[in-house]
Structures are given as structure tokens and as C-alpha cells.
Amino acid sequence: MNYEEKILRLLRSNARTKISEISQQLKIPRTRVTTKLRDLKLTCIKKFVSLIYFDKLGYKERVVFFIRSPTLSLTNFNPVNNLCKLRAIHNWMIECYFKNNEETATYMESLEKYKPKIYNIVEEISHEEVYT
């Protein structure tokens, strides 16, 4: 495994790891870590984000909609956390968070013309674990 991959693994487990800590753990100079980080930001680090516990913010409903349609026109992106175009029977996957059943039902009505398959996520077993 090269140093870039090692740095990415450390950052995936804790994005706030200090350059000095990375340097110590990998036994390479801080300047080399800084250079590698700069290169990684240009090539493969998309952005730095916070992973949120939506349930602690009052969003108790997590729903995934699978839609079979060549095109998709959403009028409300507010509850959408992830929107993916798929190469499968269903063309779209929409992951949403809602505070209650009423919000979920209202959003489902807006998607009614697409006849989505609907799944409630009851437990997340693993999340953002690749490269950690």
C-alpha cells in the first residue's frame, strides 16, 4: 500500500487527523504528508463533509425510493440526501430523510406518477467504511 492510500485510510477514519500525527504514524516527514495531501485534494478527495446523525435532528424516517423512468423531474429536493442514477431495472435511487409519516406521505404523493418502489431503512449496519 502506498503513502497516498495510507493517508486516505487515516483521514477516512478521522478527517481531523493532524498532519503531524499522520507524519508520526507513517514515519515520513510532515512536508511529504503536506505534499501528498495537496496532490490528493487535486486528484481524489472530492470534499470534506460531516456525517450527520439525522435522527438526533428529529428526522426519524429514512426512506429509499427506487424509480423506473428514463428521466426524473423532482420538484422538491429538500428531503433528498442522496440521488443516484442506476444501471439496473430501476433507473433512480432517492434516499430521503423525513421528520414524520406525514412528511413522508406528502413526498410520496409528489413521486406518485413514477410508481416508486419504497423501502424504509430500519438499521444501518455499516456506513462510509471503505478505506478505513
Side-chain angles (χ1 to χ4, degrees):
M1 183 182 321
N2 62 35
Y3 285 115
E4 289 87 353
E5 290 176 353
K6 291 176 182 179
I7 291 169
L8 285 173
R9 285 186 187 276
L10 289 170
L11 292 175
R12 287 282 291 172
S13 57
N14 180 3
R16 297 182 68 151
T17 305
K18 295 178 182 173
I19 290 174
S20 58
E21 291 176 33
I22 295 171
S23 171
Q24 287 174 353
Q25 287 186 28
L26 300 182
K27 296 178 177 49
I28 61 174
R30 288 175 49 177
T31 54
R32 189 163 181 199
V33 173
T34 303
T35 302
K36 297 283 184 195
L37 268 175
R38 185 189 63 233
D39 294 345
L40 287 169
K41 286 178 190 175
L42 294 172
T43 57
C44 63
I45 294 177
K46 274 186 171 182
K47 60 182 175 178
F48 295 95
V49 297
S50 298
L51 298 178
I52 299 169
Y53 291 111
F54 284 97
D55 58 327
K56 295 189 192 279
L57 295 173
Y59 292 88
K60 305 296 182 191
E61 300 279 324
R62 183 176 176 197
V63 182
V64 176
F65 301 94
F66 288 95
I67 294 175
R68 189 175 186 174
S69 173
T71 60
L72 181 66
S73 175
L74 297 178
T75 56
N76 181 3
F77 276 95
N78 208 26
V80 176
N81 187 48
N82 287 303
L83 172 62
C84 301
K85 188 163 176 60
L86 307 174
R87 217 179 294 175
I89 292 173
H90 293 90
N91 307 91
W92 304 94
M93 189 273 303
I94 309 168
E95 177 200 28
C96 299
Y97 285 90
F98 304 99
K99 289 192 174 188
N100 53 50
N101 289 335
E102 292 153 12
E103 282 185 9
T104 306
T106 301
Y107 198 74
M108 285 170 53
E109 286 175 18
S110 75
L111 297 176
E112 198 171 82
K113 67 180 175 185
Y114 296 111
K115 298 181 176 100
K117 297 276 186 196
I118 302 162
Y119 300 93
N120 285 57
I121 297 175
V122 293
E123 180 183 6
E124 185 170 80
I125 308 302
S126 177
H127 184 77
E128 298 293 330
E129 296 294 328
V130 174
Y131 247 63
T132 58

